[in-house]
Every structure is written in C-alpha cells, then in structure tokens.
Amino acid sequence: MVSVQHSHSALAAADRRDTAAWLAAAAISYPAAEAELITRACAQAAALYEGKTAQSGAALLPHVLGCASILAGMGMDAETLAAAVLYAVPSCQAAWQEKLEAGLGKQVRALVEGVSRMEQISTLDRQATPDAAQQLESLRKMLLAMVQDIRVVLIKLAERTQTLRELSVADPALRRSIAQEAKNVFAPLANRLGVWQLKWELEDLSVRYLEPELYQQVAKLLDERRVDRERYITELLTQLKQVLAQAGIRAEVTGRPKHIYSIVNKMKRKKVGFDELYDVRAVRVLVDDVESCYTVLGLVNDLWQPIPGEFDDYIAHPKGNDYRSLHTAVAGPRGLNVEVQIRTHEMHHHSELGVAAHWRYKEGGKSDAGFDEKIAWLRQILAWESDLSGLSEQFREGLIQGRVYVLTPQGRIIDLPRGATPLDFSYTLHTDLGHRTRGAKVDGSIVPLSYALQNGQRVEILTTKQGAPSRDWLSTTQGYLQTASARTKVRHWFRQQGLEDSIAQGRVLLERELQRLGVVGINQDKLAQRLHYNKADDLLAALGRNELTSRRIALAVAQEIPGKVAAIAPVQIRPAINQPTMDKVLVAGVGNLMIRMAKCCTPKASDPIVGYVTSERGITIHRRNCPFMRRVPDDRRDRVLDAQWRH
C-alpha cells in the first residue's frame, strides 16, 4: 500500500515558510525540467495568493507548499506537486482554466479542476439528511467516481491533512466542522486506497479536535511520543528478524504503533479500558506457507512471554469473511504489550484485496461487490507502483466506472447506473414524480429527457400537476429510460389503464361460465383466492385478459361448492360462433392495429358499433349501446373511435 516514502526527503523537509529554500530543495529532488515546472507553479501561486488565507486561517502560500511537501514525501511527480501548489487558483482568478493550461499544461489544469470539483462535492457532508449514513457512503463513492486521475484524490487527501495540521489556533466550531469532514469522508477514502500514513494522521487529528479530552487521556496513557513508539517498534523488529533468520525462516516483518484514533475506537467498540488493549503496538509477519506460520508462532512465544487468553487461530478457524491469520499478544521488551499477526503472503493478499478487505471490516456497513472489486483494483495498482509518478496513465479512464452519482436540488446524492437519464432519476425518487415528468434541468440548463447524466451534476425535474407517461418512454431506440425499475413502473401504469376494460369483460365471461355450470350466488372473493388472486377484481381482470381458461374456472368452482356443479366441460371461454370476422370492421383513422370484438356485448353485423382503444390489446369493438361504453369516463372519451362494418 501507499505510505510516505523518502524519495524526495529534502523537499518534504524544507521550510515551507521560505519559498526560495523550498524551491532549492525541489531542484535537488527532481530533474531540471520537472523542477522548472514546480518553480513556475510557485511563481504563479505567489502572485495570486498574496494576502490570502487557507480555510484553516493559515497564510495560503505556506499552506499549499505544505500540501506539496506531503506529496513529495510520497514520491509524487512534478505535475502533482504543481497542481497541489495551485489547487486554490479557481477561487482567486477568473478564466483560470485557460491561463493555467497556457502556463503549466493541460495535465496540471485537469488536476486542479478535479480537486476543485472534489471540494464542491465534499461540502455536501455538512448538510444533514435523514439517511445520513447512506448519504455519506454515496458521497465517498461519488468522489471516487468523479475523479479521472488518482492523483486528484491524493492531492485532496494531502490538502486536508495539511489543513488539520494548521487547525490548532482556529475557531473551535471550524475545527469541529473540518475534523468531522475528515473523519467521515477523507480518512475512509485514504483507508480504502491504502494510503496509510495520511489515513492515520487524518484520523488522529480529527479525534484530537472532535474529542479533545479523550484524545489527551489516551495520549497520556501511552506516555510516549509517536517517535518513541516507532523507535520501540524498530527495536522489536530487529530482535524478531534475528531470531527468524537464525531459524532459517524466510519472512517479511513489519510493525506499527497503533495510533490514537484506533485506540479510542477500539475502547468504545469493545467497551474496555486502555489497560485491556493488547494491540497498542503491533507486528505482522508474512511467510511462504502455513507450516511456517506455526513455526514463527513458536519462536515468538519463546522470545517473549505470551499473554494468557490472547491467542486466536483464524487459520484453523477462519472468520465469516474467510479472513485467515494467527493473532497472539506477548509482553515484549521492557514488558510492553505487543500484538503479533502471522500469516502467509496469500492470506495477506486476500485480507487486503479480497472479500476479507480490512477497510470494509473497519468501516462496517453492507458489502457492495462491484464497488469492493473496484477498490481492490485501485489498491492493487497503488501497491504495485513503487514510483507513483506513473499513476496518471493507469487512471486516465476514471476510477469507479459503471455508476453515476448525481444530486437533487436539496443536495441529496442519488446513485444510478451509468447512462441513466433524468427520467430514470425522477422514477428513482418517486413513481408519481416520474409519471408527471415533462422536462429536466441539469446544472440549471434544460436538457432532453434522454440526456445521459454525468457524475456530480445537479438535476431538477419539471412536472405537471397531473400527468401520465408516454408510450415513447418504453422505446429502446429513443433512449428515455435505461433502468429496468423505471420501465417496470411505466408498464405497470399502462396495464392499470386497461384494468376497467379487462374487469368488465372478465365479469361477463365469469357470469357466462357460472350460468353454464348452473351456479348462482358464489363468493367471488373466495373463488379468486382459490385461484391465487388477492381479490375478485384481480380474477376478473385476468379473465378479461384471457389469462385463465374456462376449465380452471370450472375446477375452482367445483372445489369451492362441491357437489353443486352441473358439469365441467373442457372448453375455452370464447366468443359466439356467429361473431363477425375482424376484416369486416373499419375504424376511422386506424392503420395496422389489432382489432377484436368485445366479449361483453358481442356485436353483430347489424349493430351500430364504436371502437375503444385499450392500453395493451389494440382496439375493442363494442355496440354503441354497450353498458361498458356508457360507463367510459370523460377523461377517456378520446379513446372512443368511430367504426362501421365494411360492405
């Protein structure tokens, strides 16, 4: 995973208050052409930032140099450092895109633009919503989905870290606000991407400002500075490596002192005191095979005194997410408690990149297989890249594909499949809103309802008080709807519009069948339930749509009132034999549409007739004096068409 390296240690350690000294360090750390790019970025920043302050209240120029120093310590390229120095340009200069690209190139402009977009979206975290946890998760995904270059995320993480470093003299309310954002949004992003050093600092500084008393309490209990804890871990590793080498065990040994945020969280989660934690200091040993795991365990227990009751064998008994490792706690040098984790390289890879991924375990929440897979890929790329300057090529096509994250006018984040339209958006919010949609605005501009939404856009739906969907919305060629759920809602609406027609025809058919069977007074609701429908109207509608045969009706009637049915004949309910053929009917203004005779009134060639447009079954021909036609409401009279018999 990514951690702070020392490939540009001179630049990372330079005094940020002295721009000249900082640039001199850049000249040492980077090739001449790259150092010159950084110098030009600093010159432009110095002119624009004069007298301006960062969000923390610190002078803006030292602040951006601090961000760049963090990135230099991570081994980032000159374009990334230049963009970090200039990330605040959008708030200081009009028409900045053209000026920035002309002076420093397209890539630096794109990075600054990406950081600016992340800043605009990340502020949504400060808006309270009823589904706060879900919205935070959507926000994190949205930030990653919006980014076209991983360096944008790293710049933003460095900028937030630098801001937290400067907050000690800021207004308490501002400290809490920024710390809460870091805890909720940016520390989880650093965690997911494996940028450990920034993750730890973001978390520790956030708890320092959010829970200052608890932070100070734990810090005193640790009773040692972080540098002292790190020195202790180095001493511990040296002893363990010597013992493993003497035993001929090939192993990769790493260690870390547990940071304050993690200690505070564990105390809360397990409801224990500081003295009951045994992993304040931790060592991890990676070996080639399972046999070596147990051999190392024996060597560790011989080297240091095991703490009773603090051993877990997750190799023999894996966790539910298939996490495997040996965990033990020992009293290390000077009697200080140390947790030791022992696993194979394969187990570690699975833990970091597979379904047992540590970040999901730490953050909790439900698994999202597609998103988890993308995060695993990102972490793997970051882990493989010892020189992070090549990252831009890996991520030019975007980080998280397949989803788009857009905003309601109130700032709520809506997660949609890529290619989703404003109509999909409106149906996701509410079915009735979708039905009444007549237009949409994206970022304040009118767009077609077939417009493909992009990450970070704000969508406003234009509606009528009463409205209905169009059949065109179901067309696959016109592209109005891309989500299956929205299409289902539209189809359901159209099915419901033909419901009265189907129920009326079903009632006629049922009465005819009951008359044939010699049955009167049957409870239609009970008959419907016997045929697995909720109520009588559902049964009648299905019968009117020809979804039931006469034999099924007859069998159900016989079961409902045994011994009282005259006969069950395996015949289909069908129109009278003398019903006219469809080619003898002419309907005004209708071309090649399906035409059928109504079963409720069975019109004959001598009867005056009309056509009625149904939602899914073409045109039904009724007698003009048909009871069904007399019941057609005024708002559906436009479905009634003139019809006549052909001569």
Side-chain angles (χ1 to χ4, degrees), residues 578 580 585 597 601-610 621-626 643-645:
N578 62 348
V585 175
M597 294 297 161
C601 59
T602 58
K604 299 178 182 179
S606 59
D607 297 325
I609 54 174
V610 293
I621 303 300
H622 293 262
R623 296 185 187 189
R624 283 190 180 274
N625 61 355
C626 174
Q644 59 184 353
W645 301 106

Side-chain angles (χ1 to χ4, degrees), residues 7 11 52 132 168 178 211 231 279 282 287 302 382 403 406 408 419 450 469 480 486 593 634:
S7 52
L11 182 56
K52 291 184 170 59
S168 58
I178 294 175
E211 301 182 76
R231 188 178 294 118
D279 62 345
V287 294
D302 289 341
L382 288 169
R403 309 293 296 178
V406 295
T408 67
S450 57
Y480 286 108
L593 284 182
D634 291 340

Side-chain angles (χ1 to χ4, degrees), residues 386-436:
S386 57
D387 177 11
L388 298 184
S389 62
L391 282 175
S392 60
E393 295 303 318
Q394 296 280 3
F395 294 92
R396 197 56 48 82
E397 297 303 319
L399 297 182
I400 305 299
Q401 300 177 1
R403 309 293 296 178
V404 292
Y405 299 87
V406 295
L407 305 170
T408 67
Q410 296 76 32
R412 181 184 169 203
I413 300 170
I414 303 299
D415 174 0
L416 296 165
R418 185 166 294 280
T421 66
L423 262 182
D424 292 303
F425 172 86
S426 61
Y427 274 108
T428 299
L429 293 179
H430 196 280
T431 301
D432 182 62
L433 179 67
H435 291 339
R436 295 187 294 110

Side-chain angles (χ1 to χ4, degrees), residues 29-273:
S29 304
Y30 287 87
E34 295 187 8
E36 196 271 334
L37 177 68
I38 297 171
T39 300
R40 280 189 283 126
C42 287
Q44 187 168 340
L48 289 172
Y49 296 166
E50 181 68 31
K52 291 184 170 59
T53 58
Q55 187 184 18
S56 62
L60 187 53
L61 185 59
H63 169 80
V64 298
L65 294 180
C67 302
S69 296
I70 292 172
L71 294 163
M74 296 170 64
M76 296 303 298
D77 63 346
E79 285 181 343
T80 306
L81 268 65
V85 168
L86 295 167
Y87 87 84
V89 165
S91 63
C92 301
Q93 187 177 48
W96 63 270
Q97 291 97 330
E98 296 80 2
K99 296 175 183 176
L100 203 60
E101 184 169 336
L104 292 152
K106 185 177 181 180
Q107 282 303 306
V108 173
R109 178 199 61 76
L111 289 171
V112 172
E113 194 168 43
V115 175
S116 178
R117 292 181 70 196
M118 284 194 75
E119 171 62 23
Q120 293 169 18
I121 296 302
S122 67
T123 57
L124 294 170
D125 172 46
R126 303 181 187 130
Q127 299 183 16
T129 57
D131 52 347
Q134 180 181 340
Q135 284 292 291
L136 276 174
E137 177 65 5
S138 295
L139 175 59
R140 297 172 196 135
K141 291 181 178 181
M142 184 180 191
L143 288 171
L144 286 178
M146 288 174 57
V147 173
Q148 297 299 312
D149 190 321
I150 187 62
R151 295 176 296 176
V152 169
V153 181
L154 299 179
I155 292 170
K156 189 60 185 176
L157 292 176
E159 188 276 324
R160 288 290 88 185
T161 302
Q162 181 63 26
T163 298
L164 286 170
R165 289 176 179 180
E166 300 164 347
L167 279 180
S168 58
V169 296
D171 175 74
L174 179 64
R175 287 204 302 261
R176 290 190 62 83
S177 173
I178 294 175
Q180 193 70 53
E181 177 194 59
K183 176 186 174 183
N184 288 345
V185 180
F186 293 106
L189 287 183
N191 182 38
R192 294 178 184 197
L193 296 176
V195 190
W196 302 129
Q197 201 73 11
L198 297 189
K199 166 193 178 289
W200 294 333
E201 192 166 359
L202 286 165
E203 289 178 337
D204 271 8
L205 290 175
S206 68
V207 77
R208 175 185 175 185
Y209 299 127
L210 292 172
E211 301 182 76
E213 293 182 3
L214 186 56
Y215 178 91
Q216 293 299 331
Q217 177 189 349
V218 172
K220 287 179 182 178
L221 288 170
L222 285 172
D223 197 27
E224 51 186 341
R225 294 178 304 157
R226 186 172 187 86
V227 65
D228 295 328
R229 300 199 300 274
E230 290 175 346
R231 188 178 294 118
Y232 177 83
I233 291 293
T234 301
E235 175 188 341
L236 198 74
L237 296 181
T238 300
Q239 290 186 33
L240 183 55
K241 287 177 181 178
Q242 288 176 351
V243 170
L244 295 177
Q246 291 170 3
I249 300 292
R250 188 171 64 179
E252 178 184 332
V253 185
T254 57
R256 61 170 176 81
K258 201 174 187 73
H259 58 302
I260 292 177
Y261 175 88
S262 185
I263 293 172
V264 168
N265 264 10
K266 196 158 194 176
M267 289 170 62
K268 289 180 178 178
R269 189 174 68 250
K270 292 198 169 186
K271 298 180 180 178
V272 297

